[in-house]
Amino acid sequence: MMKPNYKNWVPKGMLISVMAGAAVTGILFIVVLSTDFLAGSARLATELILGVLFVVLLAGSALFLNLYNTFSYNGTKQFARRIIDKVSDYVVLPENGVGLDVGCGSGALTIACAKKNPHASMVGLDRWGREYASFNKPLCESNAKAEGVSNTSFVQRDACKLDFPDEHFDAVTSNYCYHNIPTRDRQAIILETLRVLKKGGTFAIHDEFSRSRYGDTDQLVKKLRDMGYEKVELLDTANGLFMTRKEAVPLCLTGSGLLVGKK
């Protein structure tokens, strides 16, 4: 029996790169300490730089390894699966409706929403960049087939400028996507996503809504309400809703939130 492969939200290449960097830096540090290749202030400066780099990369390796193990779909914690299941609960589609999942990755949320709305369909969208090289359209389609889901389709598009007309979808959703986009205005990406939502449609966007990434999120909620959106809420998902605070802190996910509402 064919099984879905949702990969891991932490790219293995990133994990290997950080661990390799720690190993190389550690070896160089030992070499400088044990040889007379450098002397005086140059030696001290090199030892200091390599020592600091080693500690930083070693800590990064530990963090990424913890993240990788936690977000494994086949791991004991089932953390990623739990989040997908919770986010998809908020996506409700009408009969023959169509929903959009922005930043679908390996298709997990798109497929979960399609399963819970068999009378409708879901479109998964992603640019599938090099940093997530193992995620692609064929993988999403293979996962949908493995799950026995036929009401999905997947497209390669840019989340910052959606190639869809205004008010095109009955629901829009996204999970841990926008914080990865290098921009100073992630609130603008939220507004671009909501542009394609029909009046009366629902939205559920889960991300790292920290102030450093999004600015004043209270102002974002107020802005959406002033624009006419209904029941707009930013739910703290790292305080027992999706994960406990004890789980969120070591994973650096204390800013996780779910922006939900209706247009």
Side-chain angles (χ1 to χ4, degrees):
M1 183 178 178
M2 186 178 178
K3 293 183 179 181
N5 180 12
Y6 291 119
K7 301 291 185 179
N8 196 298
W9 293 347
V10 179
K12 185 178 288 186
M14 184 185 298
L15 173 62
I16 292 173
S17 296
V18 175
M19 293 178 72
V24 170
T25 306
I27 292 170
L28 289 175
F29 182 67
I30 293 172
V31 169
V32 172
L33 280 178
S34 59
T35 65
D36 296 325
F37 180 71
L38 294 173
S41 59
R43 180 188 181 104
L44 289 174
T46 303
E47 288 174 353
L48 178 61
I49 292 171
L50 288 174
V52 171
L53 279 175
F54 175 68
V55 171
V56 170
L57 289 170
L58 188 63
S61 298
L63 173 61
F64 278 112
L65 184 60
N66 185 30
L67 286 169
Y68 188 83
N69 291 332
T70 300
F71 284 115
S72 171
Y73 272 84
N74 299 318
T76 56
K77 295 182 180 180
Q78 301 285 302
F79 197 69
R81 193 183 303 274
R82 189 197 320 168
I83 292 174
I84 289 296
D85 187 59
K86 294 282 189 180
V87 175
S88 60
D89 282 342
Y90 289 85
V91 179
V92 181
L93 292 167
E95 189 75 26
N96 298 318
V98 183
L100 175 68
D101 174 26
V102 180
C104 64
S106 59
L109 180 56
T110 312
I111 293 167
C113 292
K115 275 188 167 184
K116 293 179 180 180
N117 294 274
H119 52 277
S121 61
M122 285 291 301
V123 176
L125 176 150
D126 206 302
R127 73 180 184 88
W128 293 301
R130 287 180 296 176
E131 63 272 31
Y132 283 88
S134 63
F135 290 7
N136 50 57
K137 181 178 178 180
L139 174 64
C140 293
E141 293 172 340
S142 175
N143 285 336
K145 185 176 180 180
E147 295 278 17
V149 172
S150 59
N151 56 331
T152 59
S153 61
F154 299 93
V155 295
Q156 188 167 18
R157 296 285 192 279
D158 182 359
C160 298
K161 191 175 182 180
L162 296 173
D163 188 20
F164 298 107
D166 295 353
E167 299 184 20
H168 188 70
F169 294 97
D170 297 282
V172 293
T173 189
S174 182
N175 181 56
Y176 282 149
C177 169
Y178 303 137
H179 73 276
N180 288 315
I181 299 175
T183 177
R184 292 184 177 180
D185 192 358
R186 290 185 176 86
Q187 292 193 19
I189 306 175
I190 297 288
L191 294 177
E192 170 63 6
T193 301
L194 297 180
R195 176 186 64 79
V196 302
L197 179 64
K198 291 181 181 178
K199 290 191 183 302
T202 59
F203 60 88
I205 298 168
H206 189 225
D207 202 19
E208 273 289 289
F209 282 100
S210 60
R211 180 174 288 273
S212 62
R213 289 187 169 99
Y214 277 91
D216 190 337
T217 51
D218 290 335
Q219 285 297 318
L220 171 61
V221 171
K222 183 179 183 302
K223 181 191 297 184
L224 292 176
R225 288 173 178 166
D226 291 344
M227 292 172 65
Y229 289 88
E230 303 175 13
K231 302 178 182 177
V232 182
E233 295 179 273
L234 181 58
L235 308 174
D236 182 358
T237 61
N239 196 25
L241 185 62
F242 283 18
M243 65 196 85
T244 65
R245 186 65 61 180
K246 187 177 179 181
E247 290 174 316
V249 170
L251 297 174
C252 302
L253 297 177
T254 53
S256 293
L258 181 68
L259 185 68
V260 295
K262 185 176 181 181
K263 190 170 185 177

